[in-house]
Amino acid sequence: MRTPVRTITRRGAGSRSGRWGVWVVLLLGLAPWPALGQRLRPLSPRPENYRSPQRFALEIKFGPYLPAVDSSPGLGDRHPFADVFGSPTVSNNVVTKLNPPSARLLTTVEFDWQFWHGFGSLGVGASVGIMRRTARALAYGDGGVICVDAVNSAPCTRSGDRTAFSVLPLTLELIYRFDVLAKRWRVPLVPYLKGGIAYYLWWAENANGLAGFREPNGAVDRAIGGTWGLVAHPGLAFLLDIIDPAAAQVMDAELGINHVYVFAELNYGWINGFNSKEKIVLSHLTWNAGLAFEF
């Protein structure tokens, strides 16, 4: 019994490290090894064919938009939209020619619910967009009549105030995507077709806020309204997953984003209140381009 005592005593400072070593061994022996092992074990990679459930899609898209306001019933030979928002040719501070207005940017956000996946996918989508354009207001000529051209030598000038016209398209569409080639054979092209009903809300503003028109009976008709119609959006999407499959797999596993597309589509709108004679025509034939995320 003495020999171990002498041995420990001889080590001196080393005995402390020996005791610390014993405590470390005891603590590690009491540690919850299964839990610690789970924390230290590297995450097992997802299988290459892993896909999280997919039910929805989100799109953000942009495109030019020029509504056919001047084709509205009852205008005859008048063209108030082109008069206000056209590009004027000015000579001696007088508008001698009004060039046709150019398109303005239409920004749209769309959300889809894909309720069927088989030979392609079927879904229902709702979207909202916004287009706003401004111009210097036309000045008034003799007799308080707005001068829109150089007819009868009326003084045609622009005032210092600005006028604005805004359109808020709302759509509800049925959507079919032919993604069979992309999912089965890795062909990254996905053609699709959208079509449905639309309601385009519009309003006009001046320096005092919402513009208005005074009727012959004295009532004020505010410059705000909406027009029903139909829309169609055939398009073609390119699957970006093929560029970096590993990154696409990580986005799916970590964020639940199944696929990312870049796309371009035709943007056709038959927006005339179903041939109503009392609605402003906001029809158009243009295009959109943007990004889509399926999740």
Side-chain angles (χ1 to χ4, degrees), residues 4-241:
V5 173
R6 291 193 188 99
T7 302
I8 295 173
T9 304
R10 288 193 196 101
R11 290 180 181 176
S15 63
R16 297 190 187 93
S17 62
R19 288 197 296 271
W20 279 112
V22 172
W23 281 111
V24 170
V25 171
L26 290 175
L27 290 174
L28 289 177
L30 295 175
W33 279 104
L36 183 61
Q38 291 177 0
R39 293 172 187 169
L40 298 179
R41 187 184 305 131
L43 294 175
S44 59
R46 298 280 189 180
E48 291 187 3
N49 60 351
Y50 172 79
R51 286 290 181 269
S52 61
Q54 178 194 326
R55 289 292 182 270
F56 307 101
L58 179 67
E59 294 182 359
I60 180 169
K61 50 192 175 183
F62 309 91
Y65 174 50
L66 180 62
V69 176
D70 289 339
S71 64
S72 302
L75 290 180
D77 295 333
R78 294 177 297 171
H79 33 76
F81 186 80
D83 293 339
V84 175
F85 296 104
S87 176
T89 299
V90 181
S91 177
N92 297 325
N93 203 31
V94 174
V95 177
T96 58
K97 180 182 179 182
L98 283 168
N99 304 304
S102 59
R104 288 293 183 269
L105 181 66
L106 172 65
T107 302
T108 305
V109 176
E110 177 180 318
F111 182 80
D112 304 338
W113 171 47
Q114 298 175 350
F115 57 84
W116 179 81
H117 290 273
F119 195 74
S121 67
L122 276 175
V124 176
S127 72
V128 57
I130 183 68
M131 186 281 299
R132 178 181 172 84
R133 62 188 308 148
T134 62
R136 290 178 57 192
L138 293 170
Y140 284 85
D142 297 336
V145 179
I146 295 180
C147 178
V148 296
D149 53 31
V151 177
N152 301 321
S153 300
C156 302
T157 60
R158 297 273 177 172
S159 70
D161 296 331
R162 300 195 70 83
T163 185
F165 183 76
S166 302
V167 181
L168 189 79
L170 305 170
T171 70
L172 183 64
E173 300 175 82
L174 183 67
I175 304 166
Y176 173 73
R177 298 180 186 274
F178 183 70
D179 54 8
V180 179
L181 299 179
K183 292 184 176 180
R184 295 186 184 180
W185 293 287
R186 298 177 181 263
V187 177
L189 299 178
V190 178
Y192 62 86
L193 177 62
K194 306 177 184 178
I197 194 168
Y199 182 76
Y200 280 35
L201 180 66
W202 64 269
W203 65 94
E205 300 168 271
N206 56 26
N208 299 319
L210 194 64
F213 305 95
R214 187 170 298 279
E215 302 288 349
N217 60 5
V220 176
D221 185 13
R222 292 297 178 186
I224 185 172
T227 305
W228 288 96
L230 300 174
V231 291
H233 302 106
L236 183 66
F238 180 83
L239 182 62
L240 294 178
D241 300 14

